[in-house]
Amino acid sequence: MSWVPVSPNSHFPLQNLPYGVFSTPGQPQHRIGVAIGEQILDLSKVSHLFSGPLLKGHQQVFREATLNSLMGLTKEHWAEARATLTQLLARDCATVRDSSLKETAMVPQSCATMHLPATIGDYTDFYSSLDHAKNVGTMFRSKENALMPNWKYLPVGYHGRASSVVISGTPVRRPNGQTRPVETEPPKFGPCRLMDFELEMAFFVGGSCPALGDSITAQQAGEHIFGMVLMNDWSARDIQKWEYIPLGPFGAKNMGTSISPWVVTMQALEPFAVANRSEERRVGKECRSRW
């Protein structure tokens, strides 16, 4: 439990504590906060309280305008930050609750404007849902040729336009582009008539980067995934159908990609982890073959 009032139906209990970047009318500078109930704990006001053995030399990351520097630390730093936040907001902790910090560091979410949580230099969108791949393949080709031969072997993806990533709620304009509605006629230029939206998960990655050309294995991925947001990959399907061969999406995907403002950390999601079902099936087959 927290000393901050939290509704039983809130998305932001003490067990969540997602990170975001916000501003207020009285202080327009972008700053990092953590959601708790209907409030935001302004980390720029409490950065000096991150005094653990790993973070005492990195307190400046909580005073910056994006999460990039915090995400650039290690998984151990992230865990220490979460432990500190959990302690500061716990019901029996008086450090913020009974001090003047409470007046300056606690901001109602209703008074805040949310911003992109990080400067996004690049992103890769993966085509990893079987149902989605079949639906789109059927739309573009046929039911018999829905999946391309490489789909079940590669992590198929494309690099999107990072400058078009926007926070949820930002208007996305219907794009103009080339389409070919009649196969026997030349393409036409005009507004998209088949706008599509998709519910996806997006991962923010960080940690220490390897040298250019070095690899990060799948087993090491957990050391680099900072947290997750919801994502809407807006798609102009009629434009995409005409342009995607041979090099993939371009104008059909660059008009906007929406993400939710709060980054839920992997530490917060750990209690809900489940076994890899494909691994379970593989082990099950091995056990049956042994018997």
Side-chain angles (χ1 to χ4, degrees):
M1 301 293 289
S2 173
W3 52 264
V4 180
V6 179
S7 164
N9 298 321
S10 173
H11 294 296
F12 305 116
L14 186 64
Q15 293 76 17
N16 189 350
L17 302 182
Y19 291 96
V21 169
F22 73 102
S23 64
T24 52
Q27 190 176 345
Q29 297 89 347
H30 292 195
R31 52 206 195 270
I32 299 171
V34 163
I36 176 73
E38 299 298 322
Q39 302 289 314
I40 300 173
L41 175 63
D42 185 343
L43 301 193
S44 70
K45 300 293 195 299
V46 296
S47 61
H48 61 287
L49 298 178
F50 292 88
S51 54
L54 295 178
L55 288 171
K56 60 184 178 183
H58 298 281
Q59 294 173 345
Q60 75 281 358
V61 303
F62 302 104
R63 298 191 291 270
E64 298 193 6
T66 68
L67 289 169
N68 291 75
S69 292
L70 175 58
M71 292 193 298
L73 300 177
T74 68
K75 182 179 179 180
E76 290 72 28
H77 290 85
W78 307 336
E80 185 175 290
R82 178 172 171 80
T84 300
L85 289 166
T86 302
Q87 179 183 0
L88 291 174
L89 292 167
R91 181 168 54 185
D92 58 353
C93 181
T95 306
V96 176
R97 183 194 66 195
D98 296 343
S99 73
S100 58
L101 283 173
K102 182 179 178 180
E103 300 302 320
T104 58
M106 300 306 297
V107 178
Q109 289 194 39
S110 59
C111 298
T113 298
M114 302 305 298
H115 306 282
L116 282 177
T119 300
I120 301 171
D122 188 23
Y123 79 90
T124 302
D125 194 303
F126 291 99
Y127 194 43
S128 57
S129 165
L130 179 61
D131 289 335
H132 178 58
K134 285 182 175 178
N135 289 337
V136 174
T138 300
M139 183 189 306
F140 290 169
R141 294 179 294 276
S142 66
K143 185 175 181 180
E144 294 72 25
N145 299 305
L147 290 182
M148 300 299 279
N150 64 349
W151 190 87
K152 291 187 176 181
Y153 296 90
L154 287 174
V156 176
Y158 70 92
H159 284 271
R161 177 178 286 181
S163 61
S164 296
V165 179
V166 295
I167 207 71
S168 181
T170 303
V172 174
R173 179 173 294 185
R174 182 184 299 269
N176 290 303
Q178 283 192 24
T179 61
R180 195 179 186 184
V182 181
E183 294 294 332
T184 57
E185 297 179 4
K188 302 179 184 297
F189 183 83
C192 163
R193 298 178 184 276
L194 287 176
M195 276 289 281
D196 192 6
F197 58 89
E198 306 167 46
L199 175 61
E200 301 184 9
M201 296 182 298
F203 296 82
F204 279 89
V205 297
S208 54
C209 296
L212 183 64
D214 290 344
S215 299
I216 293 174
T217 67
Q219 289 73 27
Q220 295 170 315
E223 301 296 316
H224 295 271
I225 300 175
F226 177 79
M228 297 169 59
V229 293
L230 294 178
M231 183 175 119
N232 185 357
D233 175 30
W234 295 90
S235 304
R237 293 299 186 196
D238 48 353
I239 297 173
Q240 184 181 355
K241 182 178 180 180
W242 170 241
E243 73 177 8
Y244 86 108
I245 298 174
L247 295 180
F250 182 51
K253 292 280 194 175
N254 66 14
M255 85 291 295
T257 300
S258 306
I259 64 171
S260 55
W262 294 108
V263 183
V264 179
T265 66
M266 299 311 291
Q267 285 87 359
L269 293 170
E270 281 178 356
F272 306 99
V274 296
N276 184 312
R277 287 190 294 172
S278 62
E279 180 69 13
E280 286 180 336
R281 287 194 293 269
R282 184 186 67 80
V283 172
K285 290 178 181 177
E286 289 181 354
C287 290
R288 286 194 296 273
S289 65
R290 289 172 187 154
W291 282 104

